[in-house]
Amino acid sequence: GGTATTLDQAQAIADRIGYPVLVRPSYVLGGRAMEIVYDDDSLRAAMEHLAHFGSLGKEGGLSAERPVLVDRFLEDATEVDVDAIRDEAGEVIIGGVMEHVEEAGVHSGDSACAIPPYSLSPETVEVIEQHTRAIAAELEVVGLINVQYAVKANQVFVIEANPRARRTVPFVAKATGVPLVKVAARVMLGATLAELRTEGLLRPAVNHSYVAIKEAVLPFSRFPDADSVLGPEMRSTGEVMGIDTTFGLAFAKAQLAAGDRLPAEGCVFMSLADRDKAVGIDAARRFLEAGFRIAATSGTADALEASGIPVATRVAKVGEATGTDAVELISSGEVQLVVNSPRGRGARADGAHIRAAASVHGIPCLTTAAAGLAAASGITDRAAHELRVRSLQEFHLGLDNDHPTLPL
């Protein structure tokens, strides 16, 4: 990557590292004004936007003090968050390794994530933990540190390290039963992890088997005119957590808590970018096995049928004279779930109309194929198991008592 204050400088960086690139201001939080760009025209538009965005600041437009960061962007990578604590004696404990459901490129505040990782190999998790310990030691952190990674083809890339607490800490603490904030505060005041372990604050982990899912609460039901597509700019206004014995059940609970109840039957409408079709095929196969009908746009339908997945309804492009288009199908009440991912930078016209129609009619809309696959797992597990309530303490202590059925 590199830093740029002019289009020519940004173009030179993009020519050197190759598209796609992530373009972002160097002076904001929450992913504000970040963009993923795929070609020269998109880069030019992004730099013009950022020059105007920068001019709104007190110091004027772009400058050496307010440059734009241009970084190589890894497509189809899995993002991972790690929260850890290091004491002044140099010991590091890993609070939690969180695998994101949505691929890298969706802001971590908007992405669902799971503890423990549900698809990473033990070898990859070990590499991530080793990197985290090494980074914490090199930075001489005393207290909390968060490191974000991207994993692609079993190769681990470091995105960034934050020697501070992040929004994930309360989730990790609830998921694991370890009071990370209390531990970190004691460590910052001079206690060692060994001392806290002797006190009982760092109790040994119980041999348990459960999954905790953090899900973002998104505001789109309140703002039906806003496009619900997720990207590098954070959109969420809160978080919820689901916990259960399988990934699917935990994900279903998290969706329920976030206000997006997953359907048990009906029709799933799918319209996917080319890069998402492989994962989308896996999701569609799971939906089909769960008894759902599939409706799809022509390109997605071709990919599904080529993989042996029957498509019940082929949908015309929005505004075409012949056939029912996606907006009409969604508005008719025939669709119970929408899986729509945008193509390239920004929202394709059809995609924006599809997502807006889903929002207006209160239909759950997932904007990544990975989220579609997770939803299919949730629907499948819910069909096979009854949702039950257990307290966090029961999960943490490994108790196995009778529990009431969750009223639905």
Side-chain angles (χ1 to χ4, degrees):
T3 60
T5 58
T6 67
L7 174 60
D8 288 343
Q9 291 174 355
Q11 186 69 66
I13 297 168
D15 291 342
R16 174 170 57 85
I17 64 179
Y19 289 109
V21 296
L22 182 67
V23 180
R24 53 188 171 136
S26 57
Y27 44 87
V28 298
L29 294 174
R32 184 76 176 94
M34 277 190 184
E35 293 190 51
I36 300 168
V37 300
Y38 290 80
D39 53 45
D40 292 349
D41 291 339
S42 299
L43 179 63
R44 183 177 302 106
M47 288 298 292
E48 289 174 356
H49 171 69
L50 290 174
H52 173 70
F53 182 83
S55 70
L56 301 178
K58 295 180 181 179
E59 300 177 27
L62 302 178
S63 65
E65 291 75 29
R66 299 169 64 85
V68 170
L69 307 181
V70 183
D71 297 309
R72 173 101 178 264
F73 177 70
L74 286 175
E75 279 200 302
D76 303 320
T78 299
E79 190 164 342
V80 180
D81 256 296
V82 181
D83 282 323
I85 296 175
R86 180 181 179 273
D87 66 14
E88 60 185 9
E91 183 184 353
V92 177
I93 61 165
I94 304 297
V97 178
M98 295 156 274
E99 179 180 352
H100 290 212
V101 171
E102 285 79 8
E103 66 272 8
V106 173
H107 193 282
S108 58
D110 289 349
S111 178
C113 67
I115 296 176
Y118 60 95
S119 73
L120 300 178
S121 69
E123 294 77 15
T124 298
V125 174
E126 178 61 27
V127 169
I128 288 171
E129 291 183 352
Q130 290 174 357
H131 287 354
T132 302
R133 290 187 173 92
I135 291 170
E138 187 67 22
L139 295 178
E140 298 183 354
V141 170
V142 176
L144 278 159
I145 181 172
N146 171 273
V147 188
Q148 298 171 52
Y149 298 92
V151 180
K152 184 171 183 177
N154 295 320
Q155 187 172 0
V156 177
F157 298 85
V158 179
I159 298 175
E160 62 181 56
N162 298 286
R164 56 173 171 81
R166 281 187 89 243
R167 70 178 68 83
T168 49
V169 169
F171 165 62
V172 177
K174 288 181 173 66
T176 62
V178 178
L180 292 180
V181 173
K182 183 180 290 187
V183 172
R186 291 284 303 278
V187 163
M188 292 171 72
L189 291 171
T192 66
L193 292 170
E195 292 169 349
L196 299 182
R197 195 173 288 110
T198 301
E199 287 184 20
L201 197 58
L202 287 177
R203 59 176 179 77
V206 175
N207 182 19
H208 48 54
S209 178
Y210 63 84
V211 178
I213 303 284
K214 183 215 77 173
E215 179 58 285
V217 176
L218 297 162
F220 302 121
S221 63
R222 307 281 183 174
F223 303 98
D225 292 335
D227 193 345
S228 61
V229 67
L230 300 179
E233 185 171 286
M234 184 173 166
R235 316 283 292 279
S236 70
T237 53
E239 293 180 340
V240 296
M241 172 175 154
I243 183 169
D244 214 305
T245 54
T246 71
F247 173 86
L249 289 173
F251 187 82
K253 283 185 176 180
Q255 296 306 303
L256 189 63
D260 292 322
R261 181 190 294 265
L262 296 176
E265 59 184 2
C267 177
V268 178
F269 171 75
M270 305 184 74
S271 178
L272 304 172
D274 289 341
R275 66 179 183 275
D276 292 328
K277 285 189 168 65
V279 175
I281 287 167
D282 290 340
R285 187 171 287 112
R286 296 288 298 274
F287 285 128
L288 196 67
E289 292 170 353
F292 284 80
R293 304 185 310 279
I294 306 295
T297 48
S298 58
T300 301
D302 289 343
L304 295 178
E305 289 177 342
S307 298
I309 299 171
V311 175
T313 306
R314 279 180 170 259
V315 177
K317 287 185 177 294
V318 175
E320 280 187 351
T322 58
T324 301
D325 66 33
V327 172
E328 292 170 340
L329 185 68
I330 292 169
S331 302
S332 71
E334 291 295 315
V335 174
Q336 282 67 51
L337 179 66
V338 172
V339 182
N340 170 248
S341 64
R343 290 153 171 79
R345 172 182 170 269
R348 192 170 63 101
D350 271 19
H353 289 304
I354 289 166
R355 295 186 292 273
S359 178
V360 167
H361 294 282
I363 297 169
C365 179
L366 307 172
T367 60
T368 67
L373 184 58
S377 297
I379 290 168
T380 301
D381 282 3
R382 272 196 61 179
H385 303 89
E386 195 173 34
L387 285 185
R388 295 181 178 272
V389 171
R390 300 177 76 178
S391 68
L392 285 175
Q393 289 82 358
E394 288 172 302
F395 279 106
H396 297 157
L397 298 175
L399 302 181
D400 188 18
N401 300 326
D402 292 331
H403 309 288
T405 301
L406 180 70
L408 295 176

